[in-house]
Amino acid sequence: MQLPLEIATATGVTLPASIEAEIREHAEDLNKFYQRIMRCRVSIEAPVHHHRQPDYKVHVTLTVPGDELVVDHHVNSDLQAAVRDSFHAARRQLEHYAQRQRGA
């Protein structure tokens, strides 16, 4: 089953195709790790008028049976790094969730 993935951006944020592809790849990796993910929502924000390079905020929300895992604290001026760090945190949360499901 293909993972339902939603990618949302704030006004003024345009995602390069390479970043969108990376988000899809990270989401598929999570789905391979835990196949019961029901939905993955990724939202990206950046300040609209900023005097220096914007700090991107990446939020990842995973809907799993009986719970919702949220990563919303990853900020970086490098969009690719912010995406990578957010998905690493999401994977850690998913690992803890899977351990709780197994009773560990």
Side-chain angles (χ1 to χ4, degrees), residues 47-63:
V48 177
H49 300 290
H50 208 275
H51 65 278
R52 59 181 170 84
Q53 186 172 5
D55 287 332
Y56 294 99
K57 297 177 185 178
V58 178
H59 307 272
V60 178
T61 305
L62 300 174
T63 304

Side-chain angles (χ1 to χ4, degrees), residues 26-44:
H26 283 300
E28 281 302 315
D29 286 346
L30 289 179
N31 196 44
K32 288 176 188 173
F33 174 75
Y34 187 79
Q35 296 176 352
R36 295 182 62 199
I37 298 172
M38 298 160 30
R39 180 175 162 222
C40 178
R41 183 175 195 279
V42 180
S43 62
I44 299 172

Side-chain angles (χ1 to χ4, degrees), residues 21-31 83-84 87-88:
E22 184 174 340
I23 289 170
R24 292 185 188 288
E25 185 177 309
H26 283 300
E28 281 302 315
D29 286 346
L30 289 179
N31 196 44
V83 167
R84 181 194 62 231
F87 274 97
H88 284 292

